[in-house]
Every structure is written in C-alpha cells, then in structure tokens.
Amino acid sequence: MALTKEEDIQMMLVCKTHLGTRNIEFNMKRYVFRRTADGIHIIHLGKSWEKAMVAARAIVAIENPADIIVASQRPYGSRAVLKFSQYTGAQALAGRWMPGTLTNQITSKYLEPRVLLVTDPRTDAQAVKEAAYTNIPVVALCDTDSPLEHVDLCIPCNNKGKESIALVYWLLAREVQYLRGSLSRANPWDIMVDSFFWRDPEELERQEKEDPAAYQTQEWKQGDDWNAQQGDWAEGGAETWDAPAAGGEDWGAAAAPAADANSW
C-alpha cells in the first residue's frame, strides 16, 4: 500500500494535481502545504490521496452503482466522467446540468441518487444546491478557491487541468474496483490514465492537417507488408509459369493439325 501511495503521488506531481490558484477559500487552508513566490498555493498531495481513498470507500458503500451520479459541466471533465461511469457503473451527466433533475418530480429525467460526485463545486453549483435540498451526500473535487458549502467530502486537487481531473477520476475508478473485488491489488490496472484525458476534436483535426506525412507513412507500411506477403507466396510456390502444365503438354509447342471438316 505504501508503494502504491508513493507511485500515485508521483503521478499526481506529473499531472500537476498539486497546483492550486492564487486565491484561497478559508475552509481550504487545511489542505494547503505552502505558497510559492508567485502566490500560487500548493496542495498537500498526501491529504489529497487520503481523501480520494475515503471517497472511494463512500462510493463502494452504495450497493447499486446506478444510484451514483457523476456530474461535470466543465469540458475538461466530461471524458473522465464518462470513463469513470464505464468502469464503475455510475450514471454520468456530462455537459449542462438540467435544473430540477433532483427536485422536480414531473420531469422525465428526474433522478433519486444516493451519492453525487461533482468535478467543481463552483461550476456545478446547481447540482450541489439541488443535492442539498434533497439531503444527498456530495463528493467534490475542490481547488483552493472552491466553496465548500453543502460539500460533504472534499478531494483537494487541481480541478482546472485536464490531466489532473483525469488522474483523480482514474484513481477513484481503480480504488472502487479494488474494494469491490473485481480487480486484484496484486496486479496493476491495465487501463492507462491517457484514456481519461479530454481531447479537443478541433486540435486533432489540426494535427492531422499539419502532419499528413504520418498517415502516408502508415499507408506505405501497409503496402510494404502486402508486398512482403506476395514475395513469401511466390517463394513458397513449387510451380513456375515457365514449367509445363500438369497434363504433360507444352504450351510453347506447335498447334496440332486441325481435323477434317467433313469428318464427324
């Protein structure tokens, strides 16, 4: 467990999970390690990892995974939310939060979850407020400037970077599967953190236009393999086109004289 914690904290450092903002909420001071010369608050990653493990245990306590709602109006968290719901069975609400989802029973999308997990308490303020009206526990990814009103369990981290958000959801999904017994702690999780990263479609199209040589190289390699297969087939064949046919006839010999037209 200690080795896993050290590895996870190293991944948090790489994904810049420890970088906060220049502003700080007074309730978040307990999670701040220090402040840099530029005025940026550094989050204590040890406490972040411990709170993530506590949040995973709270999620596992829910018997039916469909009673867990994971919401994210922030675009950077939309892909991570969908991936988290894929591996844990929770309901993902990525994009705009429809007002009245937890309070208006007339709507067709009315839900009654047991736990609400949000990416940012400030951006998802409508969801947190409705959860407070219906007495639903709220687990939130909180930055140094995030308000903690109506938040029951806070995971201090950088909730503004796409790498940081993806890593926290990846850690939660992995720990949930560990606690449920669907994944053994002896073997590492084969799912990479990169699959939780948010990708901009416009950026992918721009990269394809700027570097079309990569796709041409890939096509050339496929053609090269096809030619190699042809060569293997030609080498493996016992017969050649110059050899006589199986019937013993020589195609290069003169043609036989035609039969008499009057004879049948």
Side-chain angles (χ1 to χ4, degrees), residues 4-14 45-46 49:
T4 305
K5 181 178 180 180
E6 293 178 359
E7 293 176 353
D8 293 345
I9 291 179
Q10 289 178 0
M11 295 174 64
M12 288 181 178
L13 288 172
V14 173
L45 291 182
W49 187 85

Side-chain angles (χ1 to χ4, degrees), residues 58-93:
I59 293 173
V60 172
I62 307 301
E63 298 178 357
N64 185 11
D67 291 338
I68 304 168
I69 289 184
V70 193
S72 175
Q73 294 194 52
R74 190 181 293 275
Y76 283 176
S78 58
R79 182 181 176 89
V81 161
L82 294 173
K83 285 291 184 178
F84 177 84
S85 63
Q86 174 185 351
Y87 294 113
T88 60
Q91 295 189 47
L93 296 180

Side-chain angles (χ1 to χ4, degrees), residues 61-141:
I62 307 301
E63 298 178 357
N64 185 11
D67 291 338
I68 304 168
I69 289 184
V70 193
S72 175
Q73 294 194 52
R74 190 181 293 275
Y76 283 176
S78 58
R79 182 181 176 89
V81 161
L82 294 173
K83 285 291 184 178
F84 177 84
S85 63
Q86 174 185 351
Y87 294 113
T88 60
Q91 295 189 47
L93 296 180
R96 182 177 180 272
W97 176 271
M98 182 65 66
T101 302
L102 305 180
T103 55
N104 190 357
Q105 302 180 4
I106 301 177
T107 59
S108 59
K109 295 185 179 180
Y110 174 72
L111 298 173
E112 291 181 298
R114 296 185 60 186
V115 170
L116 175 64
L117 176 60
V118 296
T119 306
D120 187 359
R122 193 180 300 278
T123 308
D124 303 317
Q126 180 67 27
V128 174
K129 185 183 297 184
E130 293 184 11
Y133 288 155
T134 53
N135 294 327
I136 296 174
V138 177
V139 181
L141 277 62

Side-chain angles (χ1 to χ4, degrees), residues 53 56-57 60 174-181 183 185:
M53 299 300 107
R57 282 161 173 76
V60 172
R174 186 195 64 180
E175 188 65 22
V176 166
Q177 295 186 74
Y178 280 159
L179 295 174
R180 286 178 178 171
L183 190 64
R185 291 187 183 272

Side-chain angles (χ1 to χ4, degrees), residues 239-251:
E239 300 179 356
T240 61
W241 293 102
D242 297 334
E249 299 179 356
D250 186 5
W251 292 96

Side-chain angles (χ1 to χ4, degrees), residues 30-46:
R30 70 188 78 173
Y31 304 114
V32 174
F33 174 68
R34 55 168 296 187
R35 190 177 184 181
T36 62
D38 299 336
I40 298 176
H41 295 85
I42 304 299
I43 300 174
H44 197 298
L45 291 182

Side-chain angles (χ1 to χ4, degrees), residues 8-21 43 45 48-49 52 74 76-78 80-81 118-119 141-144 155-173 193-194 196-198:
D8 293 345
I9 291 179
Q10 289 178 0
M11 295 174 64
M12 288 181 178
L13 288 172
V14 173
C15 294
K16 301 179 181 179
T17 310
H18 62 290
L19 296 181
T21 60
I43 300 174
L45 291 182
S48 299
W49 187 85
R74 190 181 293 275
Y76 283 176
S78 58
V81 161
V118 296
T119 306
L141 277 62
C142 299
D143 210 331
T144 56
I155 303 177
C157 64
N158 176 14
N159 61 7
K160 296 175 177 58
K162 57 182 179 181
E163 293 88 359
S164 176
I165 295 174
L167 177 62
V168 173
Y169 276 109
W170 182 84
L171 291 174
L172 286 175
V193 190
D194 301 356
F196 283 67
F197 287 174
W198 180 79

